[in-house]
Amino acid sequence: MKPPIIVNESSQPDTPGDLMVFNSIGALETYLEPWYVDEPHFIYDCEGTELEIQASKHGVRLLQKSPLVRNIERVRLYFEAFLGKGQSSLAGETLSELAQQSTKIATG
């Protein structure tokens, strides 16, 4: 799991809803509360690896989804939407560059 981690609060995986970016796994685990496990959402690291959360005593625990699922195009869509959909300046950016830019305005 490689931060930044992006969370899409949507019931549809290819539709960006409210988006949150976390600069560390610890920031995500501290910020999200256990009830969030039951809410519709999709979580990915900056390399496109799908992640999931489990409720724990002190919040949530972030885990790699099993079996391993990667979706680079979906993660690119999320980071572009987080940074400002339709900005022509994002068109040539790599996924790594989009993730790096997102860390500047991350939730945690």
Side-chain angles (χ1 to χ4, degrees), residues 32-39 53-60:
L32 297 180
E33 297 180 22
W35 59 263
Y36 194 81
V37 172
D38 297 324
E39 296 296 312
I53 53 174
Q54 289 181 343
S56 70
K57 286 183 185 179
H58 305 288
V60 299

Side-chain angles (χ1 to χ4, degrees), residues 50-91:
E50 190 170 5
L51 308 171
E52 62 185 356
I53 53 174
Q54 289 181 343
S56 70
K57 286 183 185 179
H58 305 288
V60 299
R61 183 172 164 227
L62 187 65
L63 306 164
Q64 183 175 299
K65 197 163 191 170
S66 182
L68 175 68
V69 175
R70 284 221 164 115
N71 193 323
I72 293 171
E73 291 307 313
R74 184 175 293 153
V75 173
R76 181 177 182 78
L77 172 71
Y78 292 176
F79 279 119
E80 286 177 345
F82 181 75
L83 291 168
K85 191 180 232 179
Q87 288 187 21
S88 59
S89 62
L90 300 177

Side-chain angles (χ1 to χ4, degrees), residues 3-20:
I5 309 296
I6 192 159
V7 178
N8 179 18
E9 293 182 330
S10 175
S11 59
Q12 301 297 318
D14 292 322
T15 304
D18 290 334
L19 296 161
M20 295 181 284

